Amino acid sequence: MAQWTSAVGPAQLARQLNAQQSRPAGPGTRKPPAYRALADGIRLLVLEGRVPVAARLPAERELALALAVSRTTVAAAYEALRAEGFLESRRGAGSWTAVPAGNPLPARGLEPLPPESLGSMIDLGCAALPAPEPWLTRGIQGALEELAPYAHTHGDYPAGLPALRQMLADRYTERGIPTMPEQIMVTTGAMGAIDAICHLFAGRGERIAVESPSYANILQLMREAGARLVPVAMADGLTGWDLPRWRQVLRDAAPRLAYVVADFHNPTGALADEDQRRQLVDAARSAGTVLVVDETMSELDLEDGEMPRRVCAFDPAGSTVLTVGSASKAFWAGMRIGWVRAAPDVIRSLVAARAYADMGTPVLEQLGVNWLMRTGGWEEAVSLRRAQARENRDALVDAVRAELPEWEFEVPRGGLTLWVRTGGLSGSRLAEVGERVGVRVPSGPRFGVDGAFEGYVRLPFTVGGPVAKEAATRLAAAARLVEAGANGSGGAEAPRTFVA
């Protein structure tokens, strides 16, 4: 059985390789042999996640024709990649991308630092902001005033409090997506929602298509559930999804589930446009794939522009699109309230399966979210959150541009994260050295499948003002240490390379 989960066509790979040639080489860099340049180009595409790990590459003859080079050049490049651990082959099955064995990869996301550690360390690991007071306190006070009738019951609401289910359904309906409370299940955060969906739809060994890069904690949740992750590279820049790739993966890999973040994608900040949303829903429906859409960032539009319609607008019945929402990003991570919108029969199945998991979501927090949404406090709190994130984003962007001008990124119009290309330095080494100089940052491979994105870090909009400037200063110090370590002591400067 072949070990690849997706395929890259010769024309597509040739376009990506040719695009790399427009990037300027470092000073004094010698032109390598053709086979070496080709091998390095493919290796870089894998490390950056532009070509997924476990993707089948074109046959030697096909790629040679697409690149207008000799087959011998392609064969030598493939052999070099096999020797370095970036390619595996089997007679009759072809060749597929890999990462070298023996290199431990970061699997889990960064846990938040305890508050007592924040004095000496700037924590850019967790994309979460402090609570938008006074609205947290008001919401809890309002919940306490409404708690008494529920305190006289068993307190067990596996589908969620009826009042909150109705409130969430009404909010979708107000956005032009008719929704009944029977289409809503309240969960313990978005992670609880996606965990329930994975256990219901994707048993051990099932394929799940995921964006590449994607949210680190969800990737790890799926790994631990025994899923086989099929990465699909994002489109260039902040333009959303690469639909031809998605259609190919859905057709060839036939994943049971696909997990996507359409609104201010984590970590890149990309926003999928309305046509992409429609096309992806159509492709998933045709392939029989259930599309799990994470909307936790959807309310964090920092430019207050017109937003595309929600993905579930193209499947209002909720049979193909399962929508996941949460209070954690738009309001506060400590408010562990999430929800799923889906077809009523899917909701019933999720509720039935929940009896063997967490039983239900805390009543008091559900009452707090319901109070905020009913009284208008939610909109006030989210407006405060947007203003804070916008100010932090602008301060962080200015600081990184000033301290690290070689680092590359595009400024997203929303969300909470900046996806930064680190000028050729290893993101894993930056994360390691950063802790020693007082800044905590997650490396790119945490957001990829099997080692991709070594040349990236994610910077969240969690600090602003002088703290953002100090964070960038410490990152610049870490970068200098990493670069010095790569170059060695003394002698001429060596070309900066990724560390696999």
Side-chain angles (χ1 to χ4, degrees):
M1 179 179 176
Q3 300 300 305
W4 50 275
T5 56
S6 60
V8 181
Q12 175 186 341
L13 183 56
R15 283 195 301 271
Q16 291 177 282
L17 290 166
N18 289 332
Q20 288 181 334
Q21 295 178 0
S22 63
R23 296 174 182 171
T29 302
R30 296 179 180 178
K31 185 177 181 180
Y35 85 90
R36 184 68 259 173
L38 176 55
D40 289 346
I42 294 174
R43 175 177 175 269
L44 182 58
L45 289 172
V46 172
L47 286 171
E48 291 191 344
R50 306 307 304 162
V51 169
V53 176
R56 187 181 187 275
L57 293 185
E60 294 171 3
R61 187 184 303 276
E62 293 175 343
L63 185 57
L65 287 172
L67 291 172
V69 300
S70 71
R71 183 177 176 181
T72 302
T73 296
V74 177
Y78 278 14
E79 182 58 36
L81 289 168
R82 277 189 288 269
E84 295 162 6
F86 286 92
L87 197 68
E88 296 181 10
S89 303
R90 180 178 299 168
R91 186 177 297 276
S95 300
W96 55 93
T97 56
V99 291
N103 290 270
L105 302 171
R108 297 183 180 276
L110 285 176
E111 293 78 14
L113 280 176
E116 61 270 18
S117 302
L118 293 177
S120 59
M121 181 75 69
I122 298 176
D123 186 9
L124 298 181
C126 185
L129 290 163
E133 288 287 30
W135 296 106
L136 173 62
T137 299
R138 292 180 183 177
I140 295 301
Q141 290 172 340
L144 287 170
E145 293 173 1
E146 298 176 2
L147 180 62
Y150 296 93
H152 294 291
T153 73
H154 49 63
D156 186 4
Y157 298 90
L161 292 184
L164 181 55
R165 296 177 75 195
Q166 183 68 62
M167 175 64 66
L168 293 168
D170 290 347
R171 288 172 68 85
Y172 279 106
T173 300
E174 290 167 4
R175 291 175 170 83
I177 308 162
T179 304
M180 305 177 293
E182 291 81 6
Q183 290 180 264
I184 301 291
M185 180 177 83
V186 181
T187 63
T188 307
M191 291 289 287
I194 294 171
D195 182 59
I197 291 169
C198 288
H199 279 90
L200 180 64
F201 284 94
R204 186 165 293 275
E206 291 276 5
R207 290 188 176 101
I208 301 179
V210 295
E211 296 152 328
S212 183
S214 187
Y215 179 38
N217 289 340
I218 293 297
L219 294 180
Q220 184 60 19
L221 182 156
M222 292 173 174
R223 290 187 189 102
E224 294 189 353
R228 298 172 60 192
L229 302 183
V230 183
V232 186
M234 298 290 289
D236 292 335
L238 300 179
T239 54
W241 301 317
D242 186 329
L243 265 299
R245 290 190 184 187
W246 270 104
R247 282 191 289 267
Q248 181 183 20
V249 166
L250 295 177
R251 181 183 65 246
D252 295 346
R256 185 71 183 90
L257 288 179
Y259 168 76
V260 296
V261 185
D263 301 295
F264 312 122
H265 174 260
N266 186 357
T268 68
L271 178 66
D273 64 36
E274 194 161 299
D275 187 54
Q276 289 175 326
R277 298 168 190 235
R278 180 187 295 105
Q279 288 190 52
L280 187 56
V281 172
D282 290 343
R285 184 182 292 116
S286 298
T289 297
V290 175
L291 192 60
V292 182
V293 179
D294 186 335
E295 287 190 343
T296 54
M297 296 281 192
S298 63
E299 297 192 64
L300 293 176
D301 179 11
L302 307 186
E303 306 298 340
D304 297 322
E306 183 176 352
M307 287 286 290
R309 282 184 289 172
R310 302 288 178 92
V311 179
C312 57
F314 304 102
D315 179 49
S319 55
T320 295
V321 176
L322 276 56
T323 303
V324 173
S326 171
S328 65
K329 298 299 184 186
F331 188 76
W332 184 48
M335 187 72 84
R336 303 305 303 158
I337 298 295
W339 54 87
V340 180
R341 181 197 182 277
D345 62 315
V346 173
I347 294 297
R348 287 193 295 269
S349 297
L350 288 170
V351 171
R354 189 177 194 179
Y356 307 100
D358 66 352
M359 299 293 292
T361 304
V363 169
L364 186 64
E365 293 182 28
Q366 292 187 71
L367 287 171
V369 170
N370 187 60
W371 185 91
L372 288 164
M373 289 182 172
R374 188 182 72 245
T375 61
W378 179 269
E379 281 68 27
E380 293 284 347
V382 171
S383 178
L384 183 63
R385 168 68 76 240
R386 290 193 193 107
Q388 185 179 13
R390 183 186 306 115
E391 182 177 334
N392 287 357
R393 179 197 64 182
D394 295 346
L396 186 64
V397 164
D398 290 345
V400 173
R401 282 177 172 165
E403 296 291 335
L404 293 152
E406 292 186 357
W407 287 19
E408 302 172 39
F409 55 86
E410 292 188 53
V411 181
R413 67 174 257 193
L416 288 172
T417 58
L418 199 66
W419 186 237
V420 181
R421 188 175 180 180
T422 56
L425 298 179
S426 162
S428 298
R429 289 284 295 137
L430 281 165
E432 177 187 349
V433 175
E435 297 239 11
R436 301 206 300 263
V437 299
V439 61
R440 198 162 182 254
V441 59
S443 63
R446 294 183 180 276
F447 305 91
V449 176
D450 296 329
F453 306 108
E454 183 56 70
Y456 290 81
V457 294
R458 188 194 73 171
L459 305 180
F461 312 145
T462 52
V463 296
V467 180
K469 182 172 178 54
E470 178 61 23
T473 299
R474 295 184 187 186
L475 282 172
R480 287 192 294 270
L481 290 172
V482 170
E483 190 163 17
N487 292 336
S489 59
E493 179 178 346
R496 289 175 295 175
T497 57
F498 294 110
V499 179

